[in-house]
Amino acid sequence: MNLKHGATPNSGPVRIRNRPKPTEHDEETEDSEEEATAAQLLHDHSTVDVIIKSDPETPPEMDSNLRIGFIGAGNMAYGIAKGVLQSGDVPPSNVKVSAPSARNFGRFQELGVAVTHSNAELVSSCDLVFVAVKPHLITTILSEITDHVTRKHIIVSVAAGVTLATLQGLLPFDTVVLRLMPNLPCLVQQGALLFSRGTWARQEDGDLLRSLLQHCGLVEEGPEAWIDIHTGLSGSGVAFVYLFAEALAEGAVKMGMPSALAHSIAAQTVLGAGQLLRDSGKHPAQLRSEVCTPGGTTIFGLHAMEQGGVRAATMTAVETATERARELGRKSVPTATENRK
């Protein structure tokens, strides 16, 4: 594990200016150790231990002058913006959103956030910029803002499948870039977010991002190889859970329960089961066995689910969504020519 992924979290103030450039030796070390990490991930099933955690009791000190921008005004941008503002560390006056259409501006303005149609204006007036657009728009957006990106900037991409190498190739040399994958429950500050740092992003940049996102839900850092997997597991996984909840409710309706009540109970069942799974620290199989009694209703229901291939279908869904995320990354951006500035 290289220093970048194993360094002691910075408990002092987070600084985003006058960032020292990594030496040639540092870059070579990071490249070789990234390869070693990737090889280990393929053979070690206990990879969860590699997740980088900061001490939640000592979050980095927030710069009250930090200016945050969002390119894109969709659900992900809105959910992250709500979480960032909830901490109270960043005032709404320090946040700005840009989008070509004013359709979604209203809900940002209700938060006290400024809006604009100019991406260049936003980048010029912000320090940390979330690029929350569809993958096929990345080339256009980054080409538009690249002349306005300086060494003071931190660029955080939320575009599914678009790699750090591609992002760095489309921006000025040595731009600090991070790749983030949130999910829809960020809208209610119950998201699951995973991020990775690019070549020139330091530990303090990761600490800053984690601190900003702490009210959005669970925030973890890991190798970039996990980002597309996270997309399949949690980004798309939200929809898989909704499908299961819908099926639960429809089963109850089939047996005679009113639809509204069935859907309400199904939602609460999913919520309660998820919270118990998270808070108990137990393996899902252990909790499942605790619900079953010999010859009881649950084991009969589980047998029916296994006969229907629910387990295999779910695993295949995560695999297919992960591969699709990788495919989108390959298709969305042509070979990028590195900009030098």
Side-chain angles (χ1 to χ4, degrees), residues 51-54 56 80 180-182 186 189-196 206-222 230:
I51 293 177
I52 300 95
K53 296 180 179 290
S54 291
I80 294 172
L180 170 70
M181 182 49 59
C186 284
Q189 281 71 65
Q190 290 293 332
L193 305 91
L194 181 68
F195 72 89
S196 294
D207 290 345
L208 173 60
L209 182 62
R210 186 192 296 273
S211 182
L212 285 171
L213 299 175
Q214 62 182 318
H215 292 285
C216 293
L218 175 70
V219 184
E220 300 286 6
E221 179 182 2
H230 177 73

Side-chain angles (χ1 to χ4, degrees), residues 294-316:
T297 61
T298 305
I299 192 64
F300 270 69
L302 287 170
H303 184 209
M305 293 180 72
E306 293 287 7
Q307 287 179 316
V310 170
R311 182 192 302 268
T314 303
M315 292 174 66
T316 301

Side-chain angles (χ1 to χ4, degrees), residues 181-183 192 194 226-241 314-315 317-322 325:
M181 182 49 59
N183 66 356
L194 181 68
W226 293 355
I227 296 289
D228 290 333
I229 303 172
H230 177 73
T231 301
L233 168 65
S234 188
S236 300
V238 171
F240 307 157
V241 173
T314 303
M315 292 174 66
V318 174
E319 178 184 5
T320 303
T322 299

Side-chain angles (χ1 to χ4, degrees), residues 10 13-20 61-68 125-129 150-155 176 178 200 202 204-209 212:
N10 176 19
V14 170
R15 304 184 187 278
I16 63 172
R17 300 177 188 276
N18 299 323
R19 190 180 295 101
E61 180 181 324
M62 191 66 62
D63 183 353
S64 61
N65 294 318
L66 181 69
R67 297 166 300 174
I68 300 173
S125 62
C126 292
D127 303 303
L128 187 150
V129 178
T150 68
R151 292 194 65 217
K152 77 169 187 177
H153 284 100
I154 298 175
I155 306 297
V176 173
L178 298 95
W200 294 283
R202 298 285 184 168
E204 63 185 42
D205 301 313
D207 290 345
L208 173 60
L209 182 62
L212 285 171

